[in-house]
Amino acid sequence: MANDRSIKVLLVEDDEDDYILIRDLLGEVPEQQFQLDWVATFETALTAIHQHNHDIYLVDYRLGERDGLELLKLINQQNDSPVIILSGQGDRALDITALSSGAADYLDKSYLHSSVLEHYIRASIERNQAIKALRESEKKYRELFKRENQLRRELSRSNAELQDFAHIASHDLQEPLRAISGYTKLLKTEYSSEFDSTAHEYMDFVIDGTHRMRGLIEDLLTYSRVGTSELILGTVDCNKVVEEAITNLQTSIEEARADIIYRDLPCLTADRTQLVQLFQNLLVNAIKFRRQNISPQISIHAESTEDKSWLFKVVDNGIGIKTEYYDRIFKIFKRLHTHREFSGTGVGLALCRKIVERHGGKIWVESELGNSSTFFFTIPNNSTNQNNPTNQSRSSFFFPSIDFLER
Ligand code: ADP
């Protein structure tokens, strides 16, 4: 109903006296303009209804041999304007039938008063508009729901494709790589006397290339696995997780004379294996990107935040990162150095980001170029996550080198 224009009413009524009654009642309503059209038969009503020209229909129950309920059904099939059924005398059974058949309301003509009629018309139109808006939003939600389901299906299909790709990468790519690497080593050992120094140098390039390619394939596989495999959540003590990462890196820690401090790390709900990978990658980088002749000093802290997350900080005293690369380094295969300066595949931080994001957190870096870097990440807290203040550890290992850092 538009307040700024008159309400168009179609009256379907075979009794002219009743038409006059309704016309006069509507004419008495103050401040509201009604434009009343009148049709006296079922058939002429059908023609008018086809034109969709009215905001509301007032339909008399008795229409010669036909009745208003029959017309109500036809109106509802092709029109969404409300219908009020009128009858000459109060009839409760008709009232109930009319409403359950889709009438907006039922009115007894013998008790009509202009304010009552006006109220019923206005209320019916407003209710009808509210229902239309509700249907419209329901339709939108259904479409959104459908789209979401479709996206879910596409996502699981692309996950399956990614896993297929991981499978192909592991078998089909590694197989020829093994052959190249094996035969190159054979050439080098069995034909070395026939090669001059340049040929030896070329052989070394090939071996180095295959070595790096193997690293790339393995890291890519790890990355795709972390993205597609189901999270196995459990209560995880981060002190133990860091301890395990340190044990895995013992050789490089010893070689670099790295000092790693961690304390008061919390217990939280997470995928343990992925958390080990996360800390391990950050530690690998903190050790690898160290300054010349300065042994790495690394510390790991955690604190709870106002938004019910754990905020972890991994601080090193390494070469640092220029501000303009803060985002770029978290993208897969993005590196800031050649492999001659620092070995690596550029997958480590992308993997860290994937792990953190799969746990519902964020990861970022802040750095002082030439001095230090701090990697921050959050993991949402929940009821099982609690601080573990009794654990205070310091780790300083000195063992032979491992191949993880050599990639
Ligand atoms: P990779 O270590 O294989 O190069 P990453 O994805 O782990 O790949 O890191 C991307 C880049 O971010 C690195 O090449 C390096 O330039 C920079 N970077 C990562 N961690 C550190 C750090 N602790 N200190 C300085 N630079 C870092």
Side-chain angles (χ1 to χ4, degrees):
M1 176 173 54
N3 288 327
D4 54 349
R5 69 168 177 87
S6 61
I7 295 174
K8 290 182 175 173
V9 181
L10 179 71
L11 174 66
V12 186
E13 171 62 76
D14 59 357
D15 183 333
E16 190 172 359
D17 288 344
D18 283 349
Y19 156 61
I20 292 167
L21 167 79
I22 287 174
R23 185 196 63 192
D24 292 348
L25 289 175
L26 290 179
E28 287 170 24
V29 178
E31 293 170 18
Q32 177 70 68
Q33 292 292 310
F34 288 96
Q35 183 191 313
L36 181 67
D37 294 328
W38 171 45
V39 288
T41 65
F42 193 97
E43 289 69 27
T44 44
L46 281 183
T47 315
I49 287 155
H50 275 309
Q51 290 162 0
H52 300 271
N53 232 350
H54 296 92
D55 299 310
I56 188 161
Y57 302 102
L58 304 182
V59 177
D60 190 30
Y61 175 60
R62 299 208 177 282
L63 291 171
E65 297 194 342
R66 321 288 287 266
D67 72 51
L69 293 183
E70 211 180 320
L71 189 61
L72 166 71
K73 213 165 146 192
L74 292 171
I75 295 174
N76 282 346
Q77 276 168 11
Q78 47 187 288
N79 213 307
D80 56 8
S81 294
V83 178
I84 296 179
I85 295 291
L86 306 173
S87 91
Q89 61 211 27
D91 181 339
R92 192 164 176 272
L94 176 60
D95 181 351
I96 293 169
T97 317
L99 292 187
S100 67
S101 308
D105 228 316
Y106 166 81
L107 266 177
D108 178 353
K109 283 186 283 184
S110 48
Y111 289 108
L112 275 187
H113 183 275
S114 86
S115 65
V116 172
L117 183 59
E118 189 262 348
H119 172 83
Y120 272 73
I121 290 177
R122 201 165 29 81
S124 294
I125 292 176
E126 278 178 7
R127 218 168 30 235
N128 190 261
Q129 280 176 342
I131 291 169
K132 267 199 256 177
L134 212 64
R135 284 204 187 114
E136 200 53 44
S137 78
E138 190 195 342
K139 198 172 142 204
K140 273 192 199 137
Y141 277 116
R142 278 185 192 284
E143 276 162 13
L144 276 176
F145 187 67
K146 209 168 126 193
R147 180 84 190 116
E148 197 197 322
N149 278 342
Q150 194 184 342
L151 284 174
R152 262 183 219 284
R153 278 197 299 276
E154 279 169 20
L155 193 68
S156 72
R157 197 173 49 239
S158 84
N159 273 349
E161 279 170 11
L162 203 64
Q163 276 183 352
D164 283 352
F165 163 74
H167 187 78
I168 290 166
S170 68
H171 291 98
D172 297 4
L173 290 180
Q174 276 179 343
E175 194 49 44
L177 198 64
R178 263 196 289 276
I180 297 169
S181 146
Y183 281 110
T184 320
K185 277 179 192 151
L186 271 181
L187 273 178
K188 212 172 150 51
T189 50
E190 295 189 11
Y191 292 84
S192 68
S193 56
E194 294 175 36
F195 290 162
D196 62 11
S197 63
T198 314
H200 272 292
E201 196 188 355
Y202 291 169
M203 281 289 151
D204 289 339
F205 287 153
V206 176
I207 291 168
D208 181 48
T210 53
H211 188 66
R212 280 192 288 126
M213 180 104 171
R214 192 163 50 237
L216 270 170
I217 292 171
E218 280 167 9
D219 282 0
L220 200 59
L221 276 172
T222 313
Y223 181 78
S224 93
R225 251 184 244 122
V226 160
T228 53
S229 62
E230 208 177 311
L231 284 185
I232 302 167
L233 295 177
T235 305
V236 177
D237 179 349
C238 290
N239 298 285
K240 299 249 162 61
V241 164
V242 171
E243 202 176 294
E244 187 174 328
I246 287 172
T247 308
N248 295 342
L249 298 174
Q250 278 173 352
T251 35
S252 36
I253 291 170
E254 187 274 339
E255 192 187 57
R257 299 187 163 268
D259 196 11
I260 302 172
I261 301 168
Y262 58 102
R263 60 165 63 98
D264 297 353
L265 301 183
C267 283
L268 42 77
T269 304
D271 182 309
R272 190 173 200 286
T273 313
Q274 292 201 357
L275 274 203
V276 174
Q277 279 175 306
L278 171 62
F279 279 108
Q280 196 164 316
N281 277 313
L282 293 175
L283 289 175
V284 162
N285 283 348
I287 297 166
K288 181 164 60 172
F289 297 103
R290 62 183 180 268
R291 281 177 281 163
Q292 258 188 350
N293 304 324
I294 294 184
S295 41
Q297 300 289 323
I298 305 162
S299 61
I300 304 173
H301 314 270
E303 61 193 59
S304 58
T305 64
E306 275 176 9
D307 65 347
K308 295 198 166 73
S309 281
W310 285 106
L311 171 66
F312 289 85
K313 294 179 197 174
V314 180
V315 189
D316 66 43
N317 62 337
I319 59 171
I321 299 159
K322 279 190 184 161
T323 321
E324 64 253 45
Y325 298 131
Y326 282 2
D327 288 334
R328 186 187 153 114
I329 55 172
F330 291 98
K331 295 192 174 128
I332 193 162
F333 299 136
K334 295 291 181 203
R335 311 195 64 230
L336 307 180
H337 309 273
T338 65
H339 72 94
R340 288 190 196 288
E341 292 171 293
F342 291 100
S343 61
T345 58
V347 176
L349 287 180
L351 190 78
C352 292
R353 190 171 82 169
K354 182 140 277 180
I355 293 172
V356 170
E357 286 178 355
R358 286 207 70 192
H359 283 80
K362 282 186 183 150
I363 185 166
W364 69 99
V365 69
E366 283 171 18
S367 174
E368 210 184 303
L369 192 63
N371 254 334
S372 73
S373 300
T374 303
F375 282 84
F376 299 87
F377 66 88
T378 58
I379 302 277
N381 196 353
N382 60 39
S383 54
T384 55
N385 295 355
Q386 49 190 281
N387 212 341
N388 197 352
T390 50
N391 265 307
Q392 297 206 2
S393 309
R394 185 180 184 95
S395 162
S396 205
F397 291 95
F398 302 98
F399 293 106
S401 172
I402 59 153
D403 61 352
F404 197 90
L405 279 180
E406 286 167 6
R407 276 198 217 145

